[in-house]
Amino acid sequence: MEQKDLKILAQNLANPQGEKGIQIGEMMNETNIGMTLESIKTLLIEDDEHILEIGHGNAAHVKSLLTLAQNLKYTGIDISETMHLEAKRLNETFKDQAEFVLYEGKKLPFEDKTFDKIFTVNTVYFWEDPVEYLNEIYRVLKKNGTFVLTFGQRDFMETLPFTQFDFTLYNSDEMEETVSKSLFKRMKISEKEEEIKSKTGDELIKRNYTVLTIKK
């Protein structure tokens, strides 16, 4: 891929737009599904819980999340209007349980202590002020709630040609230090490895990623 194509890919990974964005959303769902399902498993979802996902993409995975327990409510929030509309389209059948919110990416438009569980996968690279944003997540999480933060480790992400454009990368220690500056008090780190198809082609690559389980 040429530099300009890599830059367009990077922009669409951060904020998918238009027809190209829909294609990127499908590709992201395919390449990120392992990380997403691992994050959902780590949440230990129980009956009657309200789940928030930050950066839901096309949300093709929501159907499987809603089968994990009884009477679940899912809210997805995203900065991409393209993904917002695509997620609503793909989850029309579940509109009584799943809602999708479009927002500007900084302030979470919810009341304090709204959610039992919160998770986000591969969005932290784009947070403008990570500590302030973590404090927003803290605010909308219930007292005994769980927040799962999942991201590709710096060493792996640096091998991807598009991450040179507006990605902020972290290893586990750097992310742990960032979280420690927020209001959150407790966290557990789990490091994982998986084989995936690359975002720029068809070759298989090994991805190292981190799942942080964070509590108040």
Side-chain angles (χ1 to χ4, degrees), residues 68-83:
L68 295 176
Q70 299 296 312
N71 197 32
L72 294 179
K73 186 177 179 190
Y74 167 95
T75 299
I77 191 165
D78 211 293
I79 62 170
S80 164
E81 185 174 7
T82 298
M83 289 297 95

Side-chain angles (χ1 to χ4, degrees), residues 17-209:
Q17 299 289 328
E19 283 299 316
K20 179 72 172 174
I22 290 172
Q23 293 170 13
I24 295 280
E26 290 171 356
M27 179 269 291
M28 281 198 292
N29 186 263
E30 182 184 340
T31 58
N32 292 339
I33 194 66
M35 293 175 77
T36 300
L37 294 178
E38 188 66 36
S39 304
I40 291 168
K41 186 172 85 173
T42 304
L43 286 173
L44 302 175
I45 291 171
E46 297 179 0
D47 292 351
D48 304 310
E49 290 188 328
H50 192 177
I51 316 296
L52 172 66
E53 180 178 10
I54 298 167
H56 53 68
N58 72 6
H61 54 278
V62 169
K63 175 170 65 175
S64 61
L65 182 153
L66 291 173
T67 65
L68 295 176
Q70 299 296 312
N71 197 32
L72 294 179
K73 186 177 179 190
Y74 167 95
T75 299
I77 191 165
D78 211 293
I79 62 170
S80 164
E81 185 174 7
T82 298
M83 289 297 95
H84 172 73
L85 295 172
E86 188 70 354
K88 287 177 77 169
R89 183 183 73 80
L90 290 176
N91 292 283
E92 175 68 22
T93 312
F94 312 105
K95 62 185 179 187
D96 292 341
Q97 276 184 281
E99 65 168 349
F100 297 93
V101 177
L102 188 64
Y103 83 129
E104 73 351 284
K106 292 181 182 175
K107 296 289 183 189
L108 295 171
F110 307 112
E111 298 285 324
D112 294 359
K113 301 181 177 65
T114 297
F115 300 99
D116 300 283
K117 306 281 169 70
I118 301 176
F119 73 106
T120 190
V121 178
N122 286 335
T123 67
V124 71
Y125 327 117
F126 311 115
W127 296 359
E128 284 183 32
D129 187 333
V131 174
E132 192 173 305
Y133 196 73
L134 284 163
N135 287 338
E136 268 294 281
I137 294 168
Y138 182 96
R139 180 182 66 76
V140 302
L141 183 66
K142 291 181 181 177
K143 183 179 177 183
N144 296 316
T146 301
F147 168 45
V148 169
L149 170 61
T150 303
F151 61 96
Q153 292 170 14
R154 176 193 284 277
D155 289 352
F156 165 74
M157 296 295 289
E158 284 177 342
T159 68
L160 305 176
F162 51 81
T163 59
Q164 63 187 292
F165 301 105
D166 301 319
F167 278 65
T168 300
L169 304 179
Y170 301 87
N171 60 33
S172 296
D173 290 344
E174 289 165 338
M175 198 68 246
E176 185 178 15
E177 184 181 344
T178 301
V179 174
S180 72
K181 293 175 182 173
S182 75
L183 295 168
F184 283 107
K185 296 289 185 282
R186 296 177 288 151
M187 72 191 97
K188 184 177 80 174
I189 295 176
S190 179
E191 297 188 336
K192 309 280 183 181
E193 183 180 280
E194 65 176 353
E195 199 169 67
I196 57 158
K197 189 187 289 186
S198 74
K199 288 184 172 65
T200 53
D202 291 329
E203 73 269 27
L204 290 173
I205 53 177
K206 275 195 167 58
R207 168 161 63 193
N208 298 308
Y209 68 94

